[in-house]
């Protein structure tokens, strides 16, 4: 007897309860699974005892498989914890990992005894086929499921990649699977009830450092305007959302294709935030800027990465430092706050590049003091993580640690939970970073964020921010970044927010 597959989907805890946003990956997967079966979602960001609740759900109900979404960094440890608990209590139940971690580190994922299947890249169709097969419900043979990696008699098999497709679900995402979806609306800089949404998927660029390029290999699909309209209508009128954070990998794609979406957004007038590129914003026509204004874009997160033409070329970024300078000026004119991210301490010319970046940031702040700055350490992906189409294109020099030894990446999920590898995945530390430079970067960031506290911080009262800014003034002006003990002390009292850790 076969039956329609029933799947349990889990988002292991990665952030605080207040920073929890819709688990969009699981909602998309559930929409696909429910076409020929059924599914349930457990979100560890909201449900803080999610391991026990998972076991409880598995005792209560019969599931054919468990799908776990895993992003590199702090989500790996809770993903292991829940997988091990399931394996111990329900040894026969298939455990499937999907998302960025298993896509970028497939062999490491399948080296773990508590993972049976790794779904690479876009998951809707691969997972639907896999659970149909596992439940005996007329699914294809395992070797025919594109995008799947699996274990066959002890060896790991990587099936061919699956083509990325436009994934507009037929109706609304199944938000009601999350209990009360209003729990996911939050007070942010954008509004009292900010909601997360992803309109387009993928990105047409091939930046060598980026997990998105590794996942999508240059493919991107914009949604139909009708879909955006349907989702925004529900989010605004049913849930009461008053602003939107768009998770699109790169919001501004080709202008002609964007206009129908911007027209929808201009009708809803929900203040918004998105990821964008300097070149795309600079190319936008006056008409489109008018739509951007009407739709109330408040902040655009732009990967500036580096002030160096050479480095931008080597990482295949496709933008130039002069475009970064121009875009902060342009954003000032249109009343949009640019939030620029940089990657300091690259493996080559480590100190020199870092100091140049600090100077470049000062220049940007002179042009547009509202510019928000996010600083990451440059932690390139291992060569094997890159998309198969991009492997060996502009490879960097071999990565060496401080002793001149080649950097060896972890080969199991457990190794990826070691603090220095979690820091690597979060772009806050690298094996070639000296203590001196690590302190220098931290000190610069402290002085900068005290001198210019982020508008995204709603916790610290305005007077505290003003005091901090005044205290940091002389250090910033005279470039006396080293050991800002008084700012660290004041900061501990005020606890300024870190957008790079918690998102908006
Ligand atoms: C929201 C978000 C977060 C949230 C958490 C989300 C959550 N899980 O609750 C927060 C803010 C906590 C977060 C944190 C981090 N994030 Co984050 N995050 C995102 C973001 C913006 C959206 C994710 C999303 O919902 N996408 C929409 C869904 C539909 O797409 P998807 O997740 O890719 O899902 C598809 C597939 O991946 C797959 N899939 C996913 N899960 C599963 C599960 C199963 C079972 C299967 C079969 C398939 C599958 O199928 C899905 C549908 O096709 C992405 C960028 C992006 N636009 O995707 C970055 C992104 C995923 N984050 C990233 C990173 C690196 C991080 C950090 C680890 C580091 C950092 N500094 O940014 C931090 C951790 C910070 C810390 N110190 O704690 C990178 C990952 C790339 C990489 N190299 O691994 C991304 C791509 C951003 C980027 N461009 O660099 N993040």
């Amino acid at each position: 007897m076969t039956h329609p597959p029933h799947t349990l989907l889990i988002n292991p805890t990665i952030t605080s309860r207040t920073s929890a946003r819709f688990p969009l990956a699981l909602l998309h997967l559930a929409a696909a699974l429910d076409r020929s079966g059924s599914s349930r979602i457990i979100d560890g960001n909201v449900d803080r005892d999610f391991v026990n609740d998972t076991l409880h759900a598995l005792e209560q109900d019969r599931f054919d498989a468990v799908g776990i979404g895993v992003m590199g960094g702090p989500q790996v440890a809770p993903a292991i914890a829940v997988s091990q608990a399931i394996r111990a209590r329900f040894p026969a139940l298939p455990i499937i990992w999907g998302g960025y971690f298993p896509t970028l580190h497939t062999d490491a994922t399948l080296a773990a005894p508590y993972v049976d299947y790794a779904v690479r890249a876009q998951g809707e169709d691969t997972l639907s086929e896999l659970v149909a097969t596992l439940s005996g419900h007329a699914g294809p043979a395992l070797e025919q499921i594109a995008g799947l990696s699996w274990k066959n008699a002890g060896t790991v098999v990587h099936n061919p990649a699956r083509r990325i497709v436009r994934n507009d679900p037929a109706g609304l995402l199944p938000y009601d699977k999350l209990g009360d979806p209003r729990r996911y609306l939050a007070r942010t800089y954008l509004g009292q009830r900010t909601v997360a949404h992803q309109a387009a998927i993928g990105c047409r660029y091939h930046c060598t450092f980026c997990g998105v390029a590794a996942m999508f290999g240059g493919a991107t699909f914009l949604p139909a305007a009708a879909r955006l309209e349907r989702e925004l209508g529900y989010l605004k009128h049913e849930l009461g959302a008053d602003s939107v954070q768009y998770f699109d990998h790169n919001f501004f794609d080709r202008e002609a294709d964007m206009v129908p979406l911007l027209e929808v957004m201009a009708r809803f007038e929900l203040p918004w935030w998105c990821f964008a590129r300097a070149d795309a914003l600079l190319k936008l026509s006056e008409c489109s800027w008018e739509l951007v204004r009407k739709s109330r874009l408040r902040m655009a997160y732009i990967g500036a990465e580096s002030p160096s033409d050479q480095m931008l070329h080597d990482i295949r970024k496709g933008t130039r430092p002069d475009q970064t300078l121009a875009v902060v000026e342009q954003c000032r004119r249109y009343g949009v706050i640019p939030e620029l991210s940089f990657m300091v301490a690259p493996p080559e010319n480590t100190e020199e590049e870092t100091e140049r970046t600090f100077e470049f940031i000062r220049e940007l702040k002179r042009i547009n003091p509202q510019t928000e700055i996010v600083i990451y350490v440059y932690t390139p992906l291992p060569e094997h993580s890159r998309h198969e189409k991009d492997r060996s294109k502009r490879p960097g020099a071999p990565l060496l640690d401080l002793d001149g030894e080649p950097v060896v990446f972890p080969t199991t999920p457990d190794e990826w939970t070691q603090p220095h590898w979690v820091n690597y995945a979060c772009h806050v530390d690298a094996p070639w970073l000296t203590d001196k430079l690590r302190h220098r970067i931290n000190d610069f960031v402290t002085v900068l964020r005290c001198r210019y506290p982020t508008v995204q911080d709603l916790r610290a009262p305005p007077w505290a921010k003003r005091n901090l800014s005044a205290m940091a003034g002389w250090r910033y002006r005279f470039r006396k970044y080293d050991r800002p003990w008084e700012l660290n002390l004041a900061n501990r009292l005020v606890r300024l927010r870190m957008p790079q850790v918690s998102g908006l």
Side-chain angles (χ1 to χ4, degrees):
M1 255 299 277
T2 64
H3 54 267
H6 189 35
T7 312
L8 182 62
L9 296 170
I10 303 172
N11 182 28
T13 307
I14 182 175
T15 190
S16 66
R17 172 71 199 76
T18 47
S19 296
R21 299 293 177 269
F22 284 144
L24 290 172
L26 302 195
L27 287 171
H28 277 90
L29 295 167
L33 290 171
D34 292 357
R35 283 203 287 270
S36 52
S38 53
S39 61
R40 175 171 166 189
I41 292 179
I42 292 184
D43 181 2
N45 288 337
V46 168
D47 179 353
R48 308 305 287 189
D49 193 15
F50 83 101
V51 176
N52 280 324
D53 289 342
T54 297
L55 296 178
H56 190 65
L58 293 172
E59 272 154 17
Q60 299 290 305
D61 212 348
R62 175 204 54 76
F63 287 95
D64 295 294
V66 181
I68 304 175
V70 194
M71 188 185 288
Q75 202 171 29
V76 179
I80 294 174
V82 74
S83 304
Q84 285 178 330
I86 298 168
R87 180 72 0 130
R89 188 80 70 85
F90 304 94
L93 193 63
I95 299 178
I96 306 159
W97 280 24
Y100 279 88
F101 184 81
T103 301
L104 271 46
H105 311 292
T106 317
D107 286 318
T109 300
L110 288 176
Y114 43 78
V115 185
D116 303 311
Y117 302 94
V119 168
R120 306 186 323 262
Q122 204 175 25
E124 288 88 336
D125 293 339
T126 311
L127 184 63
S128 300
E129 290 178 15
L130 176 60
V131 295
T133 302
L134 294 175
S135 66
H137 192 66
L142 285 176
E143 43 277 280
Q144 277 160 14
I145 302 178
L148 180 70
S149 292
W150 53 294
K151 297 173 190 175
N152 191 4
T155 42
V156 169
V157 181
H158 300 292
N159 292 354
R162 182 179 290 270
R163 240 164 40 105
I164 306 285
V165 292
R166 181 158 155 176
N167 70 344
D168 287 3
L172 279 177
L173 285 174
Y175 297 104
D176 49 354
K177 284 188 183 267
L178 303 173
D180 181 3
R182 287 178 188 80
R183 297 191 287 183
Y184 289 87
L185 273 55
R187 185 170 162 252
T188 71
Y189 154 75
L190 296 173
Q192 294 300 315
R193 289 178 305 281
T194 304
V195 79
H197 180 65
Q198 175 144 352
I201 54 158
C203 174
R204 63 177 69 254
Y205 298 91
H206 296 263
C207 311
T208 61
F209 61 90
C210 183
V212 174
M215 171 88 94
F216 290 92
T220 187
F221 289 96
L222 274 60
R227 180 195 171 202
L228 184 62
E229 179 133 34
R230 186 170 65 225
E231 295 282 330
L232 291 183
Y234 169 81
L235 297 172
K236 181 172 177 174
H237 302 304
E238 300 283 322
L239 295 190
D242 64 1
S243 44
V244 188
Q245 183 180 15
Y246 286 91
F247 282 166
D248 298 42
H249 304 91
N250 172 32
F251 193 91
F252 289 92
D253 197 61
R254 292 195 179 127
E255 184 167 359
D257 302 332
M258 292 305 301
V259 168
L261 302 181
L262 289 171
E263 281 169 348
V264 170
M265 292 160 67
R267 284 201 293 282
F268 280 94
E269 298 187 325
L270 293 166
W272 56 293
W273 176 103
C274 70
F275 294 104
R277 287 172 58 94
D279 51 358
L281 290 179
L282 290 170
K283 272 199 296 222
L284 224 52
S285 68
E286 275 305 318
C287 292
S288 295
W289 269 110
E290 184 51 24
L291 286 173
V292 168
R293 193 190 57 74
K294 275 202 195 136
S295 62
R296 304 197 185 174
L297 173 62
R298 292 279 182 270
M299 192 182 281
Y301 183 109
I302 301 164
E305 323 306 358
S306 165
S308 148
D309 269 313
Q310 186 60 47
M311 176 158 154
L312 291 175
H313 169 268
D314 291 347
I315 61 176
R316 300 182 78 194
K317 177 72 193 180
T319 58
R320 301 183 311 267
D322 61 286
Q323 292 174 315
T324 306
L325 294 167
V327 83
V328 300
E329 164 61 25
Q330 187 195 44
C331 285
R332 194 177 58 75
R333 275 188 279 120
Y334 288 103
V336 174
I337 297 180
E339 184 179 17
L340 301 188
S341 73
F342 286 92
M343 307 193 301
V344 296
E348 286 165 83
N349 304 327
T350 311
E351 294 203 7
E352 192 190 317
E353 283 287 344
T354 305
E355 295 297 332
R356 263 182 82 187
T357 307
F358 294 167
E359 284 304 307
F360 191 62
I361 289 170
R362 296 178 69 97
E363 195 177 343
L364 293 162
K365 280 288 191 186
R366 267 195 301 277
I367 298 171
N368 180 352
Q370 278 202 313
T371 306
E372 301 254 320
I373 303 290
V374 177
I375 293 181
Y376 288 121
V377 169
Y378 176 41
T379 51
L381 291 173
E383 189 61 26
H384 68 254
S385 294
R386 290 176 61 186
H387 195 274
E388 53 193 27
K389 281 199 263 173
D390 293 332
R391 269 175 222 154
S392 81
K393 288 198 188 139
R394 301 213 202 136
L399 301 173
L400 302 176
D401 67 15
L402 283 174
D403 302 322
E405 297 294 327
V407 173
V408 181
F409 284 96
T411 53
T412 62
D414 296 76
E415 269 181 70
W416 273 108
T417 66
Q418 290 167 9
H420 59 282
W421 285 116
V422 173
N423 285 341
Y424 192 93
C426 290
H427 316 296
V428 293
D429 205 354
W432 50 90
L433 209 61
T434 58
D435 282 346
K436 186 167 159 249
L437 188 57
R438 192 178 298 111
H439 284 132
R440 175 89 178 147
I441 296 166
N442 288 342
D443 290 348
F444 175 78
V445 170
T446 301
V447 174
L448 182 73
R449 72 195 184 97
C450 288
R451 174 68 186 84
Y452 296 101
T454 164
V455 292
Q456 295 174 56
D457 192 320
L458 306 176
R459 211 169 34 201
W463 61 264
K465 290 193 200 172
R466 273 196 305 275
N467 283 352
L468 267 180
S469 179
M471 273 173 84
W474 70 273
R475 283 191 177 271
Y476 187 78
R477 185 156 171 227
F478 299 111
R479 296 180 170 76
K480 298 283 182 216
Y481 312 131
D482 291 349
R483 288 183 299 281
W485 59 271
E486 77 289 5
L487 299 180
N488 283 326
L489 196 69
N491 232 317
R492 233 172 284 152
L493 301 174
V494 176
R495 289 196 301 132
L496 278 181
R497 197 180 158 83
M498 306 270 283
Q500 66 269 44
V501 175
S502 50
L504 258 197

